[in-house]
Amino acid sequence: MVRDMTKGSPPRLILAFALPMLAGSILQQFYNLVDSIVVSWGVGVNAFASIGCTSSMNFFVIGFITGLTQGFSILISQYFGAKNMEGMRKSISMSVCLSAVSVVVVSLAAALSSEGILTLMQTPDIYMEDAVLYSRIVYGCVGCLVFYNMTSSILRAVGDSRNPLIAIILSTVMNIGLDLLFVMVFHWGVAGAAIATAISQVMAMCYNLVVMRRLEILRLSRTDFRLDFAMMRKMLVMGIPMAFQNSVTALGVMILQGVVNSLGALYSAAYAAGCRVVNIIQQPNATFGMAMTTFSGQNLGAGKLDRIRKGVMRCIGINLIICTGLCLCMIFFSKPIAGLIVGFGETEIIQEASNYMVFLSLFLWVLGLLWPYRSALQGMGRTVMPMLSGGLELAIRISLVLTLPLFMGFWGVMTAEVSAWAGATIMLVIDYYLVIHKLKHTANLNQGLLKKQKAPERVPVTASEHS
């Protein structure tokens, strides 16, 4: 269902758009959790920890390509908001071309360098063989994930968050079934979990493509695929900063993972379990924030800055309410959840994983601010400053994670993480209000000119062009 977010109540639109996305994000994290549980119970806790050791490296590689596709979708949503369907279809076709090239280059480089990176991260020897095998399969199949995310981003850019949810529901059911088959029945170990995920992502991508073919405004012709280097350059200007933002954040997490690995196998396993749960409870903040990318992109294309400001504040309010509830859940239920993941006999791992879950949940509200401001800036085409905020996050995380654990141990790792969130948030809040002020001032000066422009000739104006 296509949704025009330039009209109607911002809170209702954000909720209606974000809730299916949230369900999809949680399901996506859920089948990652199922992978872990099946491997942990079917193969052993060492195999589970091996997969956990690859998570930050996977985020570095996959996050880079996914950031590109998310950046490409910003222009799509802006053209949709400006009612320029021809420009929108052209931007979709160019995003397909650029994504295909990036997948080939990045996945090949990642597969060849995975063992060396895992060694640099001080991955314990008992985990290394399975970690290398799992990562190489993931990178070999990374195109499945990227094109699923790309097709989902296209649908969301035009306001359809329901069909990507259906795709992920079907994918999750298939992934769980294949996990049980490949790991428990065929005994393929960590390779079975990786293959199951890849196959389920192909199915989700195919569903999205069928939906896109049924929507007339998204039907592409051969002429749409004629290379438009000016548009490709504009998309790369938006996509590359988002890609680097993801990778810079992931680099900090990789260094953090290396410090955790240096503390010993116990903390590697506890960190892997804790991250699986923390990744899930972060999804509401991330998803409602990501809804602001589409909301702000469409409304910038329509020239409605006041709606962007109102939407951001409503989104923050929703996030803070959810953060409170999730924090209480972690305080009371973190130990049973950790036991379910690693096995209830692993008492030391459970205790450390529980500490990690509770501590980070106490500071979820920081992410409740970070995501709406970051995504609103990105939706307005302001992608460089979120990238720079990722650099600040990296600097804080590295400086603290290399010092605090020396006298705080595992608690130092946790403190470094939340401190990095806080630093990036402060930077984004300041930049957001500066950008809104500049755009408002420019809109007032050119109000008469904007009224004379005809919608079919209208080209979206990004915040970066006012900076």
Side-chain angles (χ1 to χ4, degrees), residues 217-260:
I217 64 170
L218 297 180
R219 289 178 188 170
L220 306 179
S221 63
R222 287 186 179 182
T223 57
D224 291 322
F225 283 93
R226 290 176 183 170
L227 296 182
D228 184 333
F229 292 105
M231 180 172 286
M232 292 172 77
R233 178 181 176 278
K234 193 169 186 177
M235 298 180 80
L236 287 171
V237 167
M238 292 185 179
I240 288 177
M242 291 186 68
F244 276 108
Q245 172 204 307
N246 285 351
S247 292
V248 164
T249 301
L251 180 60
V253 176
M254 288 171 65
I255 295 171
L256 188 147
Q257 175 80 64
V259 172
V260 171

Side-chain angles (χ1 to χ4, degrees), residues 263-281:
L263 296 175
L266 164 64
Y267 293 103
S268 294
Y271 180 71
C275 280
R276 284 290 186 267
V277 178
V278 170
N279 286 343
I280 292 176
I281 65 174

Side-chain angles (χ1 to χ4, degrees), residues 74 237-239 241-242 245 377-378 381-387 464:
I74 291 172
V237 167
M238 292 185 179
M242 291 186 68
Q245 172 204 307
L377 286 167
Q378 291 168 340
R382 179 81 169 184
T383 56
V384 174
M385 192 55 68
M387 179 187 71
S464 58

Side-chain angles (χ1 to χ4, degrees), residues 100-113:
V101 173
S102 64
V103 164
V104 173
V105 174
V106 176
S107 62
L108 181 61
L112 293 175
S113 61

